[in-house]
Amino acid sequence: MSDDRPPVCNYDGSDYQTSFWEQGGRAYEDQVEAIALRRLLPPSGNLLLEIGAGAGRNTPRYQGFERVVLLDYSYTQLQQAQSRLGSSARFIYVAADAYRLPFVPALFEAATMIRTLHHMADAPRVLHQVRKVLQPGAVFILEYANKQNLKAVLRYALRRQSWSPFTLEPVEFAALNFDFHPRAVREWLQTAGFKIARQLTVSHYRMETLKRWVPLKLLVAMDSAAQLTGDWWQLSPSVFVKAQASDDGSLAKPGEFFCCPECGGYPLKEETQAQVCPNCSRRWLLRDGIYDFREAG
Ligand SMILES: [Zn+2]
């Protein structure tokens, strides 16, 4: 099972939250994402899975949910999230590989994955994993980077860019950084067992000159209006999709939560500082409030 694992993009030790978001001049991107999320998220619910939660930038936006599982491959990003959000029972911190989600099937009522598919070499595989841990009819909000964005289309037309923005295959413009074609993402979602409920195009005006000269509030309002054309065409660098899981299948049994990412066994036996697999006996450790499902302890 371990031999065919796709490579994982690991933010361990990264100051991404500070350098990219807080000091990186990305107030515009942050605010337009918040608007898209508000439009797509169910107003309330019990349990939400946030895949690629990082340092928890978006987590406070999931107020309507009683409990949120923050999942990230990077342990240090989760530590940052923990110090920002605190260790209340509302938040469950899980370090794990999105290709092998450590949860029993049909557990979550909703999931989000924002700026994360971007790092996935095998996107369809991750989407199948997500569908598996979602309840029938659950909502999945997926953000992806769009290769068919206006800038790429113009650059291609002017022959300043070799790859075509119109073909379905992903483009890896830097190591483990992928942009996707909207139609390819829709097809993968449908194959994984989702139907597309709504699309919003986001960050239309992500250009340094505009961000410098147009007041932030105005730029955000302009993007907010443009988002609503997302079902008709997708030419923005970022796209949000609201997908809905198919209605088939039954719910996870009450009390069952984690499953073994290595062999798929569950329910795991809970010890004070570990979850133990009933099948392969691997021990998955709980360290300082973070469940670590990357390597068995
Ligand atoms: Zn196992």
Side-chain angles (χ1 to χ4, degrees), residues 112-255:
T112 64
M113 187 158 145
I114 294 163
R115 291 179 179 257
T116 302
L117 196 69
H118 198 43
H119 298 303
M120 300 291 172
D122 191 346
R125 184 158 157 182
V126 175
L127 300 177
H128 271 101
Q129 281 283 303
V130 177
R131 173 62 192 91
K132 198 171 132 195
V133 301
L134 285 179
Q135 296 180 1
V139 166
F140 174 41
I141 296 171
L142 170 69
E143 185 277 348
Y144 64 88
N146 176 15
K147 73 182 280 200
Q148 186 191 247
N149 64 75
L150 197 56
K151 190 171 150 197
V153 170
L154 293 175
R155 283 173 59 91
Y156 184 65
L158 298 169
R159 295 170 193 271
R160 294 225 183 124
Q161 169 187 301
S162 56
W163 53 269
S164 165
F166 305 114
T167 51
L168 293 187
E169 78 287 348
V171 55
E172 185 174 17
F173 63 90
L176 285 178
N177 279 267
F178 301 90
D179 286 359
F180 301 98
H181 193 283
R183 204 172 94 210
V185 175
R186 286 194 295 267
E187 287 176 3
W188 294 332
L189 281 166
Q190 282 157 351
T191 309
F194 290 101
K195 53 177 195 260
I196 313 295
R198 194 176 178 195
Q199 298 167 88
L200 297 176
T201 42
V202 175
S203 267
H204 295 79
Y205 310 110
R206 186 189 290 171
M207 276 164 268
E208 283 315 311
T209 34
L210 284 176
K211 279 162 66 174
R212 187 168 312 148
W213 297 108
V214 182
L216 177 63
K217 257 179 124 166
L218 177 59
L219 208 57
V220 169
M222 284 161 59
D223 194 80
S224 172
Q227 285 184 11
L228 303 175
T229 61
D231 276 326
W232 306 332
W233 56 76
Q234 300 89 32
L235 293 168
S236 57
S238 165
V239 178
F240 276 64
V241 185
K242 178 179 182 174
Q244 189 157 29
S246 48
D247 284 328
D248 48 298
S250 47
L251 300 185
K253 288 205 191 88

Side-chain angles (χ1 to χ4, degrees), residues 260 263 265 277 279-280:
C260 176
C263 77
C277 178
N279 204 18
C280 69

Side-chain angles (χ1 to χ4, degrees), residues 259-266 268 276-282 284:
C259 95
C260 176
E262 197 60 47
C263 77
Y266 66 88
L268 301 190
V276 184
C277 178
N279 204 18
C280 69
S281 304
R282 279 187 176 81
W284 304 97

